[in-house]
Amino acid sequence: MPARPTLSADTDPMDPKRLEPLRALTLLYVEDDAATRDELCDILGLWVGRVLVAGNGQEGLDLFLVERPDIVLTDIQMPVLNGLSMSAEIRRRVPDQPILVLSAYNDMEFLFRAIDIGISNYLTKPVSVERLLVKLCDIAAQLLAIREQRRDRRLLEQYRMLVDESAIVSKLDPRGRITYVNDKFSELSGYGRKELIGRDIHDIRHAEEAKALAGPIWADLL
């Protein structure tokens, strides 16, 4: 009989606040034993925003390709397609996909295969619910940090584009040579961007310079 999820006595209860990030995520749980699957799903459903369920590796792969969940939680020994083969195919398509493996087979063959696939998160059965939640919280924290970094980069890029469109921008090296100009600077100076890069900023102050670069604006650039 497959090992059921357990509440271990050697782990302190989880702080509910630590579990909050899980509510923003979707988890795919792949397990062939219906009783084990239902029992753990009931627990995960209390904390995870959305739980998708599959009964074997092929079902799990098909569901993953459609739903693209944030985290994959999978057993190893399953019919049709086992958990490691499914994980390998998922990682082939999404190399950084977080995968957490539940295994009763703590042997070298499994460990080597998991390393080859790039899986570093696994728990042995019977599953301690507390340890599972701790692992999921750690993965969730990493995912949310990555998302925040990506969001910040997008905001910075949007800001840079906005500045480029509305302001005259140039960058100089310590010798006063131009290393970057935006389109607005190029347009008002009368030079192409490629012509400006590497030139001394003073060299482009000729008699026919654009009026928009004269006076206080030009003085600020120097």
Side-chain angles (χ1 to χ4, degrees):
M1 176 180 295
R4 298 285 188 265
T6 64
L7 291 172
S8 63
D10 60 345
T11 308
D12 294 332
M14 287 287 295
D15 180 353
K17 291 183 179 180
R18 187 178 179 187
L19 295 165
E20 282 299 317
L22 294 176
R23 299 192 186 280
L25 302 180
T26 298
L27 181 143
L28 170 60
Y29 176 35
V30 188
E31 167 65 64
D32 64 314
D33 181 70
T36 301
R37 187 173 63 237
D38 292 345
E39 189 172 353
L40 192 52
C41 276
D42 288 343
I43 297 170
L44 292 172
L46 298 174
W47 303 107
V48 180
R50 186 180 178 213
V51 180
L52 308 172
V53 178
N56 61 62
Q58 187 60 57
E59 289 180 9
L61 178 60
D62 294 341
L63 197 53
F64 174 85
L65 295 176
V66 173
E67 299 288 347
R68 293 301 173 101
D70 300 292
I71 303 174
V72 175
L73 174 67
T74 182
D75 188 23
I76 291 182
Q77 297 296 328
M78 294 182 291
V80 186
L81 187 69
N82 68 44
L84 289 182
S85 296
M86 178 197 71
S87 298
E89 183 60 22
I90 288 175
R91 279 293 177 84
R92 185 181 71 83
R93 296 167 183 263
V94 185
D96 60 349
Q97 173 63 42
I99 299 174
L100 175 57
V101 169
L102 304 177
S103 173
Y105 301 89
N106 191 17
D107 59 20
M108 294 304 295
E109 182 179 355
F110 157 69
L111 291 176
F112 285 138
R113 181 81 193 282
I115 291 172
D116 288 341
I117 297 171
I119 296 175
S120 58
N121 295 303
Y122 69 93
L123 292 173
T124 57
K125 293 183 176 182
V127 179
S128 161
V129 172
E130 291 91 348
R131 290 197 180 99
L132 173 59
L133 291 175
V134 167
K135 278 282 190 181
L136 291 176
C137 286
D138 290 342
I139 295 172
Q142 294 169 6
L143 280 174
L144 295 178
I146 291 171
R147 288 181 181 179
E148 186 173 352
Q149 290 173 357
R150 289 174 178 170
R151 183 197 64 189
D152 291 344
R153 284 198 295 267
R154 286 196 299 269
L155 290 174
L156 286 173
E157 180 62 20
Q158 291 170 0
Y159 175 76
R160 186 193 67 78
M161 292 176 64
L162 180 63
V163 168
D164 270 10
E165 291 174 358
S166 61
I168 302 170
V169 180
S170 69
K171 295 180 182 180
L172 310 178
D173 67 16
R175 296 181 299 171
R177 296 190 179 278
I178 299 172
T179 61
Y180 169 82
V181 296
N182 68 346
D183 290 336
K184 195 73 172 178
F185 185 103
S186 176
E187 176 187 346
L188 294 177
S189 72
Y191 290 92
R193 296 179 70 173
K194 290 184 178 180
E195 295 179 274
L196 291 168
I197 301 302
R199 294 189 61 173
D200 191 299
I201 192 69
H202 297 86
D203 290 346
I204 64 172
R205 295 188 66 189
H206 52 74
E208 298 180 358
E209 69 186 12
K211 291 182 180 180
L213 290 179
I217 294 177
W218 185 258
D220 288 341
L221 291 173
L222 299 179

